[in-house]
Amino acid sequence: MNFRLLSALIVLLLAFSFIAACTGADSTGGPSPTETPAVTATPAPTTQVSLAPGPTQTMPPGKEIEFQITGGYPSRATNDLYVAFRGGKGQDFVTSIDLKVTKSTGEVVTKAMQPTIGDEVVIKNSKGENRVEITVSLVTGGSYKIKDEIVKVP
């Protein structure tokens, strides 16, 4: 009987010592309440936007898809740029479509499109020459930049 009581007491003391070791205060972690960390300003890197089209990739045979890219549609008054997915032989293999438009002002607009026929994106206030880049991801794991062109919006 005393052996069971002694074993239980030892287990209880070990548990308390482990708990006490885990909740101790550590003086090396972080600044003290009277110290304020010094903040240094780091200039943000400026990236140049390019309106020059780059190389594109060709979709694998049997997986071709089409897009309609029109400047000044649906409204010339608001200088709209219209991009629509038109489908194709490979539409069932597309998982995602990423659209990136670099406006003539230097503003970059990124949008995600759905691989359903008729899905469209309208970018407003796009007067001038705009660089349109379309990257498509397939179920096979490949990613293809299929469009990179300049579209003029009147």
Side-chain angles (χ1 to χ4, degrees):
M1 179 81 177
N2 287 337
F3 181 70
R4 287 186 185 170
L5 186 60
L6 184 59
S7 300
L9 185 60
I10 291 174
V11 169
L12 188 62
L13 288 174
L14 284 173
F16 283 132
S17 65
F18 284 129
I19 292 172
C22 293
T23 60
D26 187 12
S27 63
T28 61
S32 68
T34 57
E35 293 181 32
T36 56
V39 177
T40 57
T42 309
T46 57
T47 57
Q48 295 289 334
V49 293
S50 174
L51 290 178
T56 59
Q57 299 166 310
T58 321
M59 295 288 282
K63 295 187 173 90
E64 297 87 5
I65 56 174
E66 296 288 325
F67 288 91
Q68 176 185 351
I69 304 171
T70 308
Y73 178 81
S75 172
R76 285 183 170 237
T78 57
N79 303 315
D80 294 343
L81 175 66
Y82 177 80
V83 180
F85 179 65
R86 293 293 174 222
K89 292 180 185 178
Q91 70 188 18
D92 294 331
F93 299 100
V94 177
T95 58
S96 68
I97 303 168
D98 296 319
L99 171 67
K100 179 180 174 185
V101 176
T102 306
K103 295 182 179 182
S104 58
T105 60
E107 179 185 355
V108 178
V109 178
T110 56
K111 300 278 184 176
M113 296 179 72
Q114 297 299 316
T116 55
I117 296 176
D119 189 31
E120 58 188 33
V121 172
V122 176
I123 312 254
K124 301 222 180 269
N125 301 320
S126 302
K127 187 171 186 166
E129 294 184 345
N130 303 283
R131 180 180 178 189
V132 178
E133 300 170 76
I134 300 176
T135 305
V136 177
S137 298
L138 301 179
V139 295
T140 57
S143 181
Y144 299 89
K145 184 177 186 180
I146 61 170
K147 293 277 187 190
D148 192 352
E149 59 188 51
I150 299 294
V151 177
K152 186 167 173 81
V153 177

